[in-house]
């Protein structure tokens, strides 16, 4: 599928679309339409994401680290924070690093911070569109995380 002279597979277009829709749902229902790292920290304490889904996402991130020849922390600092990206705090970068390594006690927090970075990179033009097809499994794992969130969001529209 050609989009603005980028030849992308229909699979990645669909997966990125799912990611965008699920992030929209997440930010609307859990962040009152204004996501930031402080809200993510609070949200991470009151939602549940299955360990298996988080581990699959972390494993996919780890695969990307190895494919780029980067340590987990270098991946966080260079790939999740490319040139021109707004920098996360050192504390948040350490939490993301621990999530990818599957160490530490803040797995859900780290998982959500990485998703937030993916969202920022995608929506602020920092993702390399000509490399997007190579990220299909990453987006599949990310959408599985967002789709698997369980809890009562802010402004929940219950029955």
């Amino acid at each position: 599928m050609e989009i603005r002279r980028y030849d992308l597979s229909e699979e990645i277009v669909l997966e990125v679309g799912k990611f965008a829709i699920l992030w929209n749902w997440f930010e609307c229902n859990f962040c009152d339409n204004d996501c930031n790292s402080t809200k993510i920290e609070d949200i991470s304490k009151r939602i549940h994401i299955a360990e298996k889904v988080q581990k699959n996402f972390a494993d996919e991130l780890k695969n990307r680290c190895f494919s780029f020849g980067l340590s987990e922390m270098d991946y966080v600092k260079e790939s999740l924070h490319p040139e021109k990206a707004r920098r996360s705090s050192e504390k948040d970068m350490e939490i993301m690093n621990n999530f990818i390594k599957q160490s530490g006690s803040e797995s859900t927090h780290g998982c959500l911070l990485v998703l937030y970075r993916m969202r920022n990179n995608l929506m602020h033009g920092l993702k390399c569109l000509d490399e997007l097809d190579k990220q299909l499994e990453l987006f599949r794992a990310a959408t599985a995380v967002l789709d698997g969130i369980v809890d009562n969001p802010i402004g929940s529209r219950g029955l």
Side-chain angles (χ1 to χ4, degrees):
M1 172 181 293
E2 189 170 321
I3 301 175
R4 300 285 299 184
R5 78 180 185 280
Y6 293 98
D7 190 25
L8 301 168
S9 72
E10 288 187 25
E11 283 181 298
I12 194 64
V13 172
L14 180 62
E15 210 58 50
V16 168
K18 286 181 193 176
F19 176 82
I21 290 166
L22 287 167
W23 183 268
N24 179 289
W25 166 84
F26 173 79
E27 192 161 340
C28 174
N29 288 289
F30 289 92
C31 303
D32 199 24
N33 301 100
D34 183 25
C35 194
N36 59 51
S37 62
T38 303
K39 286 183 181 180
I40 285 174
E41 182 178 13
D42 178 57
I43 292 161
S44 71
K45 295 173 185 170
R46 60 184 178 83
I47 66 169
H48 174 74
I49 304 167
E51 284 182 37
K52 181 179 178 181
V53 174
Q54 287 192 57
K55 182 179 181 328
N56 184 50
F57 183 43
D59 287 347
E60 191 56 42
L61 291 162
K62 202 173 294 190
N63 289 340
R64 293 186 61 74
C65 294
F66 296 136
S67 72
F68 294 136
L70 298 171
S71 70
E72 290 87 345
M73 184 53 95
D74 287 340
Y75 179 80
V76 168
K77 288 182 175 182
E78 296 172 24
S79 292
L80 292 178
H81 295 84
E83 188 178 337
K84 296 184 182 181
R86 183 174 291 152
R87 307 298 291 174
S88 297
S89 71
E90 289 295 322
K91 176 187 171 196
D92 284 351
M93 285 196 271
E94 186 60 38
I95 292 168
M96 287 183 258
N97 178 54
N98 288 341
F99 169 69
I100 296 170
K101 288 183 168 186
Q102 290 291 275
S103 64
S105 61
E106 299 177 286
S107 184
T108 299
H109 185 188
C111 181
L112 292 175
L113 285 171
V114 171
L115 290 170
Y116 183 52
R117 288 300 324 147
M118 285 179 63
R119 172 261 187 217
N120 289 348
N121 292 345
L122 180 68
M123 297 304 167
H124 293 289
L126 300 170
K127 278 216 170 277
C128 296
L129 296 179
D130 53 353
E131 297 286 318
L132 212 51
D133 274 337
K134 297 175 186 172
Q135 298 180 36
L136 179 61
E137 294 307 318
L138 177 64
F139 275 96
R140 281 186 176 149
T143 58
V145 169
L146 288 167
D147 201 30
I149 293 173
V150 178
D151 194 85
N152 285 328
I154 294 171
S156 177
R157 294 164 182 89
L159 298 176

